[in-house]
Amino acid sequence: MEKKLNIGVLVSGSGSNLQSIIDHIEKGLLDAEIKIVISNNPDAFALERAKKRHLKTMIIDHRGFESREAFDRTTASVLKENSVELVAMAGFMRLLSPVFLDAFPMRIMNIHPALLPSFPGLEAQKRALEYGVKFAGCTVHFADKDADSGPIIIQSVVPVFDDDTEETLAARILREEHKIYPQAIQYYAEGRIEIHGRKAHIKNVSRIEEKALHNPPIIF
Ligand code: GRF
């Protein structure tokens, strides 16, 4: 059997993306093994999800550290001690300092609930709705020194409807997050991601249909 990709998942909240990663592994769709789940938030529901699947968990509460760098140094060394090859930030509400980024260069992925580079940062779905965009979506990307800014691996686009609320839009986006995050990790596990400058290229993928979407529709 081929060696599985060792991943470490960083969480702060509900952990539905963690759940999707777990489910894809259990279904045999994702050739990865979760070596550890780390939460900076002791109350994160993600920890319950991990324990239910008998995964190793650790709470590293950032409030107990004197600086961002000190927290990052500890977290990165725990990940290394657990033989983690790829770090997946899944709703992890912390910015990473160079201490962390340099420990895992281009080996940290993040998921963001917007079509980057639009709406980086917090409350992306709410701001997209308020802005009045007709399409929204989500992005899996490598983490780099600025928040939500590294090479993009996969994006998924969803329509925005006039009667959407923040909740309905966020739910539509989240369903897509749960598909693209495991897929991005699987591409990595298969050694198919090449990075050229700020572009991530996935080798040997079929080309998607060249079809434009219009919202609202063009009626003539
Ligand atoms: C997701 O919307 C993700 O894109 C963002 O934080 C949310 C985390 O959700 N970074 P969950 O904890 O995975 O349910």
Side-chain angles (χ1 to χ4, degrees):
M1 204 177 74
E2 294 239 330
K3 187 193 153 299
K4 293 192 180 304
L5 175 71
N6 289 341
I7 64 173
V9 186
L10 304 182
V11 296
S12 302
S14 149
S16 69
N17 278 290
L18 166 68
Q19 187 68 56
S20 178
I21 293 167
I22 294 171
D23 293 346
H24 280 76
I25 292 172
E26 289 183 355
K27 285 182 194 152
L29 298 168
L30 175 50
D31 300 323
E33 184 180 335
I34 299 176
K35 302 297 280 185
I36 189 163
V37 175
I38 299 176
S39 176
N40 66 313
N41 169 13
D43 302 322
F45 183 64
L47 290 167
E48 305 309 313
R49 297 184 192 261
K51 284 180 199 151
K52 207 169 161 193
R53 290 304 207 272
H54 310 289
L55 296 172
K56 181 170 177 182
T57 60
M58 191 179 285
I59 295 164
I60 306 180
D61 191 334
H62 60 281
R63 292 169 295 191
F65 291 82
E66 61 183 16
S67 65
R68 184 177 299 282
E69 287 72 21
F71 170 83
D72 281 4
R73 198 167 295 118
T74 299
T75 307
S77 41
V78 168
L79 291 162
K80 297 262 184 201
E81 280 156 22
N82 284 275
S83 312
V84 166
E85 298 165 291
L86 178 76
V87 181
M89 298 166 73
F92 184 60
M93 304 303 282
R94 302 273 308 164
L95 296 174
L96 303 183
S97 71
V99 167
F100 202 128
L101 293 162
D102 293 346
F104 290 93
M106 287 299 150
R107 290 194 289 132
I108 306 168
M109 284 186 191
N110 182 41
I111 182 139
H112 183 71
L115 291 173
L116 291 172
S118 294
F119 310 111
L122 297 174
E123 299 191 316
Q125 307 95 324
K126 179 166 182 263
R127 287 185 291 124
L129 199 61
E130 285 170 359
Y131 195 93
V133 294
K134 302 298 187 192
F135 291 100
C138 46
T139 304
V140 180
H141 64 95
F142 286 107
D144 73 2
K145 59 183 189 345
D146 300 309
D148 303 322
S149 75
I152 290 172
I153 304 164
I154 313 187
Q155 295 187 301
S156 179
V157 180
V158 299
V160 179
F161 300 118
D162 286 347
D163 59 358
D164 266 329
T165 61
E166 194 186 330
E167 289 70 33
T168 58
L169 179 59
R172 190 173 308 124
I173 294 171
L174 198 57
R175 281 196 294 277
E176 293 303 308
E177 295 186 33
H178 297 162
K179 296 178 202 163
I180 65 172
Y181 212 174
Q183 179 64 75
I185 297 170
Q186 179 62 17
Y187 281 144
Y188 188 94
E190 292 173 4
R192 290 170 65 183
I193 307 184
E194 268 175 6
I195 299 171
H196 303 287
R198 65 148 294 110
K199 290 190 185 171
H201 169 72
I202 316 295
K203 292 184 274 183
N204 305 319
V205 276
S206 51
R207 198 180 168 98
I208 65 160
E209 195 186 346
E210 192 175 324
K211 185 175 183 295
L213 300 172
H214 312 104
N215 182 28
I218 292 176
I219 54 174
F220 49 76

